[in-house]
Amino acid sequence: MGTAFLFPGQGAQQVGMMADLAELSPAARAVFDRADQQLGYSLSGLCFHGPAERLDATDVSQPAIFVCSAAILAAMDEVLHDHLPEVSMMAGLSLGEYTALYAADALDFQPALELVARRGRLMQAAAKARPGGMVSIIGLDEPEVRRLCAAAAEGDELTCANFNCPGQIVVSGAAAACDRAEALAKDFGAKGAVRLKVAGAFHSRFMEPAAEALAQAVEKVEFRRPRWPVVANVTAAPENDPDTIRRNLVAQLTSPVRWAESIQHMRDSGIEEFLEIGPGRVLAGLLRRIDRGASCRSINSAGAVTRLVGQAAGGE
C-alpha cells in the first residue's frame, strides 16, 4: 500500500495552530525558534496567539503554514524515528508545494522559508497593485464554469484558478468580475458561490509581477532532485529536474492549480493512504470528494502526532 504526504496551502491557518505541538516537542519548538530568528519577527507568536487579521495576511500566512508543517515533520521524526510512515509520493496545494519539496529534500529549510516569505510578500504587493478576488463555484464542471467566466467577465479578467475537486472550481480575476460571477452562478446551475477571503486574484495573470520577481529569486536557490516524487500543481505530474521545478513554481503563480488531477495521478500510481501534514483538514475534505476509496489522516496537532505514534507502536 503506497502512502503519500500532502501539505496544505494558504487558508488553512488559524490562531493557536501548533501551540500544543511546540509544548510537546522540542524538535517542533526548535523549528519555530529557527523561523523567528530568520524572519526577524515572532512568527510563532502570531501562530500561537494571533491576532487573526495579521496571521491571515498573505505575507504572514504563507510562511506560517510552511513552518507549521515543517514543525510537524520534525516532531514526527523526533518521536517515530525508524517507524515513520514509508512514503512513496508527495504533493502540496499551491504554497504547500514548497513544503513538499522541502520534505522531499529538494531544498533546505532556510532557503525554503526565504522563498516562501518572499512569495507571500510578492503576492501581497501584486494584490495591492491590482485589486482582484477569487470565488469558489460549487456544483459545476469545468466547461460550465468556463461559460460562467465568459459571461461574467464583461471585458475584465476572470479565469479558472483552482480545480480542487469535482464540483468545486475556484475562479480568479477582477473584483467586479468576481461580483458578477457570484451573482450569476446559480443562473448557470451552480449550487452556490462563495467569495474567498484572500488578498487578490491568485493563480491568474494578476500575479504576473509577482511571478517575474519570484523567477529571479528561485534562480538563486539551490534545488536538488527530490528523494521522493513531488507532484507539481501546474502539470499534475512529478518532476525531478531542478530547473523544471523552478519553472513550475514560477508558473504556479499565474496558472491553475490542478489538485484533483494531482490526487488522481497519485491514486493511479498506487497511493492508497494519504497523510495531510499541516494545520486544518482542508485536503482531507477535498480528497473525500475526489476519491472516496482513499484514506486520509490529518496530522495537525500534538494529539494527532501522539495518535500516529500509538498506531505505529500497535503495528509492530
Side-chain angles (χ1 to χ4, degrees):
M1 180 176 70
T3 299
F5 284 176
L6 303 179
F7 298 95
Q10 188 174 351
Q13 72 276 358
Q14 54 187 328
V15 173
M17 60 184 183
M18 304 313 140
D20 60 345
L21 188 70
E23 290 184 8
L24 173 75
S25 165
R29 179 71 250 187
V31 170
F32 282 107
D33 290 345
R34 186 177 179 186
D36 289 350
Q37 183 176 11
Q38 180 177 334
L39 294 171
Y41 66 90
S42 180
L43 182 73
S44 61
L46 292 173
C47 290
F48 303 161
H49 309 297
E53 58 269 21
R54 188 70 189 108
L55 181 61
D56 288 343
T58 300
D59 60 329
V60 172
S61 62
Q62 294 198 18
I65 293 166
F66 168 77
V67 170
C68 283
S69 294
I72 295 172
L73 288 170
M76 288 171 59
D77 185 58
E78 178 184 38
V79 297
L80 287 170
H81 304 299
D82 295 336
H83 300 292
L84 277 167
E86 189 169 338
V87 183
S88 300
M89 302 186 83
M90 298 186 184
L93 180 66
S94 190
L95 157 74
E97 189 170 335
Y98 290 78
T99 321
L101 289 165
Y102 162 71
D105 199 33
L107 73 168
D108 295 329
F109 180 84
Q110 182 174 344
L113 177 55
E114 183 177 336
L115 267 183
V116 166
R118 179 76 181 275
R119 180 182 187 267
R121 292 194 299 270
L122 291 171
M123 291 174 71
Q124 183 86 14
K128 287 182 179 179
R130 192 180 179 193
M134 302 180 79
V135 180
S136 180
I137 308 299
I138 311 299
L140 298 183
D141 61 19
E142 181 177 347
E144 292 167 334
V145 173
R146 291 195 183 280
R147 285 195 290 272
L148 171 61
C149 285
E154 295 186 9
D156 290 329
E157 177 82 11
L158 189 66
T159 187
C160 294
N162 292 67
F163 297 96
N164 286 334
C165 64
Q168 186 185 120
I169 297 174
V170 177
V171 300
S172 179
C178 287
D179 291 340
R180 291 189 289 269
E182 196 173 0
L184 289 171
K186 289 192 176 180
D187 293 341
F188 279 75
K191 294 179 181 177
V194 180
R195 192 65 166 263
L196 302 186
K197 295 180 180 179
V198 293
F202 300 152
H203 304 296
S204 78
R205 290 192 295 182
F206 278 48
M207 291 293 111
E208 283 178 350
E212 291 171 6
L214 184 66
Q216 299 176 19
V218 297
E219 285 301 322
K220 298 175 183 177
V221 173
E222 178 188 354
F223 282 81
R224 297 178 291 271
R225 294 174 70 86
R227 290 178 59 192
W228 298 275
V230 175
V231 180
N233 285 192
V234 297
T235 62
E239 182 53 64
N240 290 324
D241 176 64
D243 287 335
T244 305
I245 291 171
R246 289 186 180 94
R247 288 194 295 271
N248 285 343
L249 291 176
V250 174
Q252 189 208 84
L253 286 188
T254 56
S255 303
V257 172
R258 301 191 173 278
W259 187 249
E261 290 178 57
S262 297
I263 294 296
Q264 192 58 57
H265 174 88
M266 299 170 91
R267 290 288 278 154
D268 292 344
S269 300
I271 300 299
E272 296 183 10
E273 182 178 36
F274 295 84
L275 294 183
E276 177 182 12
I277 299 174
R281 48 176 57 89
V282 171
L283 302 185
L286 294 180
L287 185 64
R288 283 193 295 272
R289 297 179 183 180
I290 296 168
D291 189 336
R292 290 188 177 276
S295 169
C296 185
R297 288 178 286 170
S298 298
I299 313 303
N300 54 13
S301 65
V305 172
T306 301
R307 286 192 293 275
L308 196 61
V309 174
Q311 289 161 1
E316 292 179 359

